[in-house]
Amino acid sequence: MELRINSWEAYQETYRKSVEQPENFWDEIAKTFSWRKPYDKVLEWNFDAPDVKWFLNGKVNITENCLDRHLKQRGNKLALIWEPNDPKEKFVRLTYRELYEKVCQFGNALKAQGIGKGDRVVIYMPMIPELAIAVLACARIGAVHSVVFAGFSANAMSDRINDAQAKMVITADGLNRGAKQVPLKRVVNEALHHCPSVERVIVYDCLGWLPQMEAGRDIWWHDAIEGMGRECPAEEMDSEDLLFILYTSGSTGKPKGVVHTHGGYMVYTAYSFQNVFQYGESDIYWCTADVGWITGHSYIVYGPLLSGATTMMFEGVPTYPDAGRFWQVCDKHGVNQFYTAPTAIRALMAYGEDHVLSYSLDSLKVLGTVGEPINEEAWRWYHIHVGKERCPIVDTWWQTETGGVMIGGLGEHSPMKPAYAGYPLPGIQPVLLDQEGKEISENGVEGYLCIKFPWPSMLRTTYGDHERCRVTYFAHYKNHYFTGDGAKRDENGMYRIIGRVDDVINVSGHRFGTAEIEEAINSDGQVVESAVVGYPHDIKGQGIYAYVVCESLPTDKEVARAEIVEAVVEQIGKIAKPEKIQFVSGLPKTRSGKIMRRILRKVAEGEPDKLGDTSTLLDPGVVDEIVEGAL
Ligand code: WT7
């Protein structure tokens, strides 16, 4: 099952083949997996509909490839290491055999609770092994999981449950997060007032709390698995059957349910995992993301397990009990590949070098970063203090929609340049387009980043709304998938991601649509309208800056701000709190009523002298007021 590329020359050769003969290329890789029934065609596609199918008519179950396939050779190898929030608490280690049995057992429990192939299950869980077990158990029985990050509010969760028409929610009483504990079941209870599709709730007892349980609907995890067998045959799935839905923000208020399928997602997450991290058989790999985001799906659970790797899952936060926690955990478990986000690096940088210098970090071989552009300063800190200038940094650019890493290094085999993601992985064909949608073929240019050929783990649709998928990703430029990012390509063909060119803000590597935050702000009674933009933030990458129009200017601005923040926390969650709220008497609009965000962005960025042309504004006077009152 060796899929690894082991030199820069090999990369170039492989890349060339992957573009010249994509079907052959992916066929060779896909063949290394275990299929119940082989596919009869590698690829069928058109980007107009869009309609993309990989490994047609192949029958497969991704969990058979994550678990069963390894039992013979790796049954006693560690599949999962779980490190708790509290370093004094005992960690958990599960071998492939143990994980297999737990997944089977919980799969049987799901079936006993009425869940079957095609049913949607929402998972709202702490970062504990049971989260991975729940995800895999759904996939095993053919149910479609939709993990909702445990920081989202009841409102955000009920929207997602209703969109997916989920039949079940899997949750816990609460979770540990640094010095805090967060009630999860309470949030679920609130959400479910508005979710008639949910018939059952399974609750894992994580903290020993006694949340309110609704008779006939709610059942404890430990009761649900009681008496369940440790063998559960995997459901035979078509390659194109749904594996999961993961909601992500877009430019309208409503989150989109990005859909991934069994076959293609399996092939690409495994292939990209092994290559980007250059995982070796006895390595210990750690990705610090939460399984609530795509990074956790692809590179904590599926990619590593498909590859027979030992993957670590961490319940806590980088700064608890102190800012050395990541490095302590690396030393404690002998971590070889470490994958985190620029925002975490910047947060830790702010605590100084001492925390990282107290640990040896000898085991580290490859460092990864993901989620947002990494600034040079953070890159250097990571390279020097964490990697001791010995470890390559793989800066991985990808998206919820792409399922796996698209542009990024392959361990030590790729050239590295700070703040550059680098070159496309084999099989990935990025292009830069200009304003008119024309491909810019030379180097040393900037443009809209698009992909011109399908790859196995690309999104298939947005759940329940295929037209939205078409309009968002495939209608901007004919025959291209549009990423929403702007990028630069240097003289050597290396890519640097500049950032979003749509109304999406990237806060600490998490995506929020401005419309979604505006809707939340507008739900506050005093607010007439609002406009939200991103601005550069030292730690978070971007912060949220809101311009708010109230019926009358609030007499106590602090109170009014607190109310607005509360409205956002209620509608979306704490993660989407606006950092700055400026009260204004009006927003800069064109004569056709469109808000000119460019102006608001410049003011928020602290560059009011670079507003550009404001002559098309309905009321240019509001601009002066906005500039004067800038925060
Ligand atoms: C957006 C996707 C993919 C997992 C995490 C985020 C930005 C992601 C990088 C990177 C520069 C990056 C892009 C992208 N992004 N990785 N290495 N360098 N920007 O997933 O929530 O789907 O967000 O994150 O803007 O479009 P997501």
Side-chain angles (χ1 to χ4, degrees):
M1 214 187 20
E2 180 61 61
L3 304 175
R4 271 197 295 169
I5 288 166
N6 54 18
S7 71
W8 176 238
E9 291 67 37
Y11 162 77
Q12 289 170 305
E13 174 61 16
T14 308
Y15 188 78
R16 191 182 53 74
K17 273 199 234 151
S18 79
V19 172
E20 285 170 7
Q21 297 193 305
E23 279 93 345
N24 285 349
F25 172 76
W26 288 115
D27 182 34
E28 289 297 311
I29 294 166
K31 275 204 282 229
T32 68
F33 292 81
S34 72
W35 297 83
R36 287 270 183 92
K37 177 182 158 281
Y39 43 88
D40 43 46
K41 195 171 177 196
V42 174
L43 171 66
E44 243 177 38
W45 69 289
N46 87 70
F47 276 0
D48 280 329
D51 183 11
V52 176
K53 293 192 181 83
W54 282 91
F55 313 118
L56 286 86
N57 302 318
K59 302 293 173 206
V60 68
N61 184 300
I62 195 170
T63 72
E64 238 170 34
N65 284 276
C66 287
L67 301 168
D68 314 42
R69 181 169 64 132
H70 302 310
L71 291 182
K72 242 200 192 127
Q73 278 179 18
R74 301 191 179 93
N76 295 320
K77 178 178 172 172
L78 288 181
L80 189 79
I81 302 178
W82 175 75
E83 173 66 23
N85 179 61
D86 180 351
K88 292 196 283 294
E89 201 185 306
K90 185 126 185 50
F91 56 87
V92 170
R93 297 202 287 196
L94 297 176
T95 63
Y96 270 91
R97 158 118 353 241
E98 288 165 332
L99 182 60
Y100 166 84
E101 289 183 355
K102 284 183 183 290
V103 169
C104 285
Q105 189 185 40
F106 194 62
N108 286 325
L110 289 174
K111 287 205 258 185
Q113 297 302 320
I115 298 299
K117 184 172 182 170
D119 288 339
R120 275 81 56 212
V121 175
V122 161
I123 303 178
Y124 187 70
M125 296 269 283
M127 274 289 286
I128 54 177
E130 286 69 22
L131 167 52
I133 292 165
V135 161
L136 293 164
C138 285
R140 187 149 190 100
I141 66 164
V144 178
H145 57 77
S146 181
V147 183
V148 175
F149 173 63
F152 278 113
S153 68
N155 251 302
M157 194 189 344
S158 58
D159 283 352
R160 288 158 174 76
I161 291 172
N162 289 332
D163 190 81
Q165 285 294 296
K167 208 166 156 187
M168 174 185 274
V169 175
I170 305 172
T171 188
D173 48 350
L175 64 75
N176 292 303
R177 204 181 148 71
K180 285 189 229 131
Q181 294 188 317
V182 183
L184 293 182
K185 180 61 166 55
R186 200 201 289 166
V187 181
V188 171
N189 286 347
E190 203 186 316
L192 292 192
H193 287 312
H194 315 284
C195 303
S197 63
V198 174
E199 293 169 12
R200 276 268 177 288
V201 180
I202 299 185
V203 187
Y204 185 78
D205 181 5
C206 185
L207 302 178
W209 290 357
L210 291 173
Q212 205 188 321
M213 299 284 278
E214 192 179 295
R217 185 194 70 187
D218 303 353
I219 176 172
W220 287 103
W221 177 295
H222 51 260
D223 291 332
I225 59 172
E226 176 133 354
M228 293 294 150
R230 287 159 194 271
E231 291 288 340
C232 171
E235 188 72 31
E236 186 171 289
M237 305 300 283
D238 186 88
S239 178
E240 282 297 327
D241 277 340
L242 267 63
L243 171 60
F244 66 85
I245 307 171
L246 186 59
Y247 285 86
T248 187
S249 299
S251 41
T252 74
K254 198 170 164 268
K256 299 174 284 223
V258 169
V259 168
H260 287 287
T261 56
H262 272 252
Y265 181 82
M266 167 180 83
V267 170
Y268 196 74
T269 52
Y271 181 73
S272 54
F273 169 76
Q274 290 169 47
N275 277 295
V276 168
F277 297 103
Q278 291 290 309
Y279 182 84
E281 184 63 51
S282 51
D283 288 345
I284 291 178
Y285 160 87
W286 180 20
C287 164
T288 70
D290 193 291
V291 173
W293 310 108
I294 191 69
T295 311
H297 282 62
S298 302
Y299 299 115
I300 293 178
V301 182
Y302 289 113
L305 295 177
L306 285 164
S307 308
T310 301
T311 180
M312 198 159 81
M313 214 174 148
F314 175 45
E315 183 187 27
V317 295
T319 49
Y320 180 82
D322 61 49
R325 187 66 195 280
F326 273 180
W327 324 125
Q328 177 252 335
V329 173
C330 282
D331 276 6
K332 175 175 171 184
H333 296 282
V335 170
N336 303 110
Q337 290 88 8
F338 177 75
Y339 191 27
T340 196
T343 186
I345 299 167
R346 288 191 301 263
L348 295 177
M349 274 168 75
Y351 287 87
E353 275 101 76
D354 288 355
H355 290 286
V356 56
L357 298 180
S358 338
Y359 298 94
S360 91
L361 301 179
D362 280 348
S363 56
L364 290 175
K365 297 196 235 178
V366 176
L367 301 176
T369 140
V370 61
E372 53 177 310
I374 182 166
N375 48 309
E376 280 201 49
E377 200 194 351
W379 193 96
R380 291 197 195 284
W381 194 89
Y382 199 26
H383 190 235
I384 295 169
H385 299 300
V386 181
K388 316 293 179 199
E389 296 180 79
R390 187 171 54 69
C391 304
I393 293 184
V394 290
D395 179 352
T396 63
W397 172 81
W398 56 296
Q399 312 177 298
T400 305
E401 295 86 343
T402 70
V405 174
M406 303 289 281
I407 300 180
L410 308 182
E412 72 272 33
H413 305 307
S414 306
M416 241 183 358
K417 182 166 163 184
Y420 278 73
Y423 294 95
L425 262 66
I428 306 303
Q429 302 189 34
V431 290
L432 296 179
L433 302 186
D434 67 14
Q435 294 280 358
E436 277 77 52
K438 259 192 49 226
E439 185 172 337
I440 317 171
S441 49
E442 59 273 27
N443 281 345
V445 291
E446 267 183 43
Y448 298 116
L449 181 60
C450 292
I451 316 288
K452 71 170 177 192
F453 194 85
W455 63 100
S457 65
M458 68 185 294
L459 88 162
R460 299 299 194 264
T461 187
T462 44
Y463 192 75
D465 191 352
H466 193 62
E467 178 60 7
R468 186 162 181 208
C469 172
R470 189 186 70 79
V471 170
T472 314
Y473 306 105
F474 299 92
H476 290 260
Y477 306 108
K478 196 169 167 51
N479 286 326
H480 288 83
Y481 164 82
F482 176 48
T483 66
D485 281 317
K488 188 173 158 168
R489 191 168 51 221
D490 76 1
E491 298 304 334
N492 300 314
M494 287 182 101
Y495 284 90
R496 174 185 185 140
I497 310 304
I498 300 167
R500 302 291 307 196
V501 295
D502 52 6
D503 291 328
V504 167
I505 308 180
N506 190 326
V507 183
S508 301
H510 305 313
R511 230 156 108 172
F512 297 100
T514 53
E516 182 184 10
I517 303 172
E518 287 158 8
E519 265 182 32
I521 293 177
N522 299 351
S523 75
D524 185 78
Q526 61 188 328
V527 176
V528 176
E529 65 173 337
S530 60
V532 159
V533 297
Y535 72 98
H537 185 284
D538 283 349
I539 304 231
K540 299 179 175 183
Q542 283 191 295
I544 297 171
Y545 192 125
Y547 298 89
V548 178
V549 182
C550 292
E551 271 156 26
S552 56
L553 209 62
T555 37
D556 189 332
K557 285 191 189 150
E558 280 321 302
V559 172
R561 282 199 182 104
E563 280 174 25
I564 289 169
V565 166
E566 191 43 42
V568 175
V569 170
E570 203 172 284
Q571 297 294 322
I572 308 174
K574 282 197 184 116
I575 42 177
K577 271 190 202 173
E579 212 82 25
K580 297 185 180 183
I581 299 175
Q582 180 181 350
F583 294 102
V584 293
S585 64
L587 298 169
K589 289 188 182 166
T590 60
R591 286 190 186 87
S592 59
K594 206 169 165 289
I595 298 171
M596 278 178 90
R597 284 173 197 278
R598 175 174 55 85
I599 294 178
L600 298 176
R601 249 181 248 127
K602 283 294 168 203
V603 175
E605 284 164 7
E607 297 187 324
D609 45 328
K610 294 189 184 148
L611 297 186
D613 182 15
T614 56
S615 63
T616 56
L617 282 179
L618 189 62
D619 173 13
V622 315
V623 176
D624 300 329
E625 180 208 316
I626 288 173
V627 171
E628 239 161 74
L631 301 170

